[in-house]
Amino acid sequence: SGQILPDDVMIQMSLDGAQLYRDKVSDCWMWINLFYNLPPELRYTKSFVFPGGFVGGPNKPVIQYSFTYPAFHHIAALQKEGLRIWDASTQSYIEKSYPFFAFLTADGPAVADISGMVGYSGKYGCHLYCGVPGHCCTGDGHYYPAFLKPVNYSVRGCTHNDITFAQFKELHQNTTVRYNTNLALLLSSANPNQYEKNVKQTLLSGLSRTLGVPKIFPLDIMHLISLNDPDLFLGLWHGNMKVYPPDKKESWNWKVLEGKIWEAHGQTIELLTPYILSSFGRAPHNPATKINTGYKAWEYQIYLYGLGPVLFWHILPEVYWLNFCKLVSAIRLLQQWSISADDLKKSMCLLSQFEKEFEEIYYQCHEDFGPPACYAQWAMETAIGNLGEEIRQDCDPYANIAQHGILRSQVNCITALLPDLNPPESLIPRGAKDLSDKYILLRACENTAKPVSEAEATAIMSYWAACGWPNQDAWPHAVMRWARLQLPNGQIAQSTWYEERATKPLRKTSCVKACT
C-alpha cells in the first residue's frame, strides 16, 4: 500500500519488568528496540538489540506513559521530519529515512496498560480488539473468553449465543476502523463523567507511520505456550485447579497425573535426558520434583511440545490425548524458522479444532470457567537476563543497569556506523579442520590413524567409490577419529567414539531419526 518506503526503518518496541535480585525486592521495568530491516539471524543478537529506557523500582510505574512518552515523542518527530543517516554497507548517506513503528509487544497486563485496552479479565479482553465478548460467572466481574455459551446461563450482558470460527473471522475484520470510531466517541465526551466512562485511549494513536492501533499490539507465543498453557494443562491433569460448584474434581476423568503415575512420569523424563540433543538447549528436569522450583520456559517447551505426545500417550484418555496433539502439531508448525502459507492454514485449522474440542471436553459448557492467557517474547527476556548479569554495584542497581543500557546502545551505534571496529570472529576454532561447505571438524582427535572394523571399512570404501576419489587401493583401512562435527546450521554433532570414551554422562548428539 506504499506505507513503508524502501529506506524506512521498521521498529519494534518491547516492554517488560524483572526482579534484578532473587532474594530481595528489586523490580525494574525496561524496554528495548528491535529493527526489522535486519535478518532474523542478526535482529535478536546482543549487538543489534538496543536498550530504550529503564524505570527503577521497587514500585511499579503508576502511569507507564510518563516514562515512555519521550521515546514516542522522538519517534513521532522523526516520522514527521525524517532523518539523514549513514549507510555503512554502501558508504553513503540516505537523505531522508522515516521510522515506521511496526509493533509494541509486552506481556498481557503490560499490553493492556500501554494500549489503553480493558485488560484480559474484561468483557472484551482481547488486546487484538477482535470484538469477541467474554462470559462471566454469576456475581463475578471476571470475564473469560469462551466461545460456547454455558448451559442454563442467564448473566445479564453475557447471554450471546455460541460463536463460530466463521463469526470470529468477521469479528476480527476492520479492527482499526472500530478502534478509531470508539476513540472519536471518547474525544466527543461532553463532560468529565462521560470521559471517565469512555476513557481507554493510547498515546500511540499519535504516531503517523504505523500499522494502526490495535494492529501494532501482536500476540506473542512465548508466555502463552511456555508458561500459561503448561500451567493450564498440568493444573487440569493434576487436579489442583480451583473448582466452582457444582463441578467436582471426582468427575474429572482427565485427572491422571497423581501418586505413583506422576512419580514414574518424572523419572521417565530423567531417563530421556541423555537422548535429548544438546543442540536443543536446556533439557527438562524431573517435573515431579522440580515443577515448583523455577521450571524454565524452555524446559516446558521441550517437555510438552517435544516429548509430550509420547509421554502422555499411555496416560491420558484418548480423547484428551488427541486434543493435546492437535495443539502440539500447530505449535510446532508456528515455531518453524520459516513457514509456508499452507502450514499457516494447517496450523489455523488445528488450533480451531483444538479450541472447540477443549471447550467441549474440559469446560463442557459449565458456568465455571478456566483462566485466560497473557503473552511476552523471548528477545525481551534475553535482554533482561544479559543486562542483569552486567550489574556490578549492588548499592544502586537501577542506576547501574540503566548506565549499562546506555553504554550498550552507544557501542552498538558506533559499530553500526563503523563495522570495521568489530570484525567478525573466526568461525573456525583453534585446532579445527575446515572441510568446506561450512562443515568443520572440531577437536579432540586421535594423533595417529587406528584400524577400523571390516564393516566400517566396507562402508567407507563404498562412499569412496561413490564420490569417485582416487587411490582407493592405497588406503590402509585406518582413520584418525575426531570428536565433533560442526554442521552448516551451527549445530555440533558428537561422534560415538567421543561419547563412548567420555568420563561423565553426555547429552547424545549421535541420534538418528528413522521414518517409517
Side-chain angles (χ1 to χ4, degrees), residues 123 131-135 144-155 157-165 167-168 171 359 363 365 369:
K123 184 174 181 179
V132 177
H135 297 283
Y144 298 92
F147 277 16
L148 303 182
K149 179 183 175 181
V151 177
N152 299 323
Y153 182 72
S154 59
V155 176
C158 302
T159 56
H160 50 274
N161 294 324
D162 296 349
I163 297 174
T164 65
F165 279 94
Q167 293 171 322
F168 173 71
L171 289 168
E359 290 197 25
Y363 150 50
C365 292
F369 298 93

Side-chain angles (χ1 to χ4, degrees), residues 235-278:
L236 288 167
W237 298 338
H238 275 295
N240 56 11
M241 293 183 68
K242 187 177 179 180
V243 177
Y244 297 89
D247 195 10
K248 295 181 180 180
K249 291 183 180 180
E250 289 74 16
S251 64
W252 290 7
N253 60 335
W254 59 77
K255 187 165 65 77
V256 294
L257 294 180
E258 297 182 292
K260 293 184 178 180
I261 293 179
W262 176 234
E263 293 175 7
H265 177 75
Q267 291 168 2
T268 301
I269 293 175
E270 282 186 336
L271 295 173
L272 283 170
T273 297
Y275 301 97
I276 300 173
L277 304 185
S278 57

Side-chain angles (χ1 to χ4, degrees), residues 342-409:
D342 289 339
D343 281 347
L344 276 174
K345 293 176 182 177
K346 184 178 179 180
S347 62
M348 177 61 185
C349 181
L350 288 166
L351 287 174
S352 300
Q353 295 174 15
F354 159 77
E355 197 283 332
K356 184 175 184 297
E357 292 173 3
F358 183 90
E359 290 197 25
E360 291 172 346
I361 63 179
Y362 288 104
Y363 150 50
Q364 298 174 357
C365 292
H366 292 166
E367 189 177 331
D368 44 298
F369 298 93
C374 60
Y375 316 90
Q377 62 208 132
W378 293 104
M380 184 71 245
E381 301 293 337
T382 302
I384 289 172
N386 54 49
L387 282 168
E389 291 172 350
E390 297 176 5
I391 296 177
R392 295 293 181 268
Q393 296 294 332
D394 292 344
C395 61
D396 195 351
Y398 306 121
N400 196 279
I401 193 173
Q403 191 62 34
H404 276 288
I406 293 171
L407 290 173
R408 180 180 298 183
S409 291

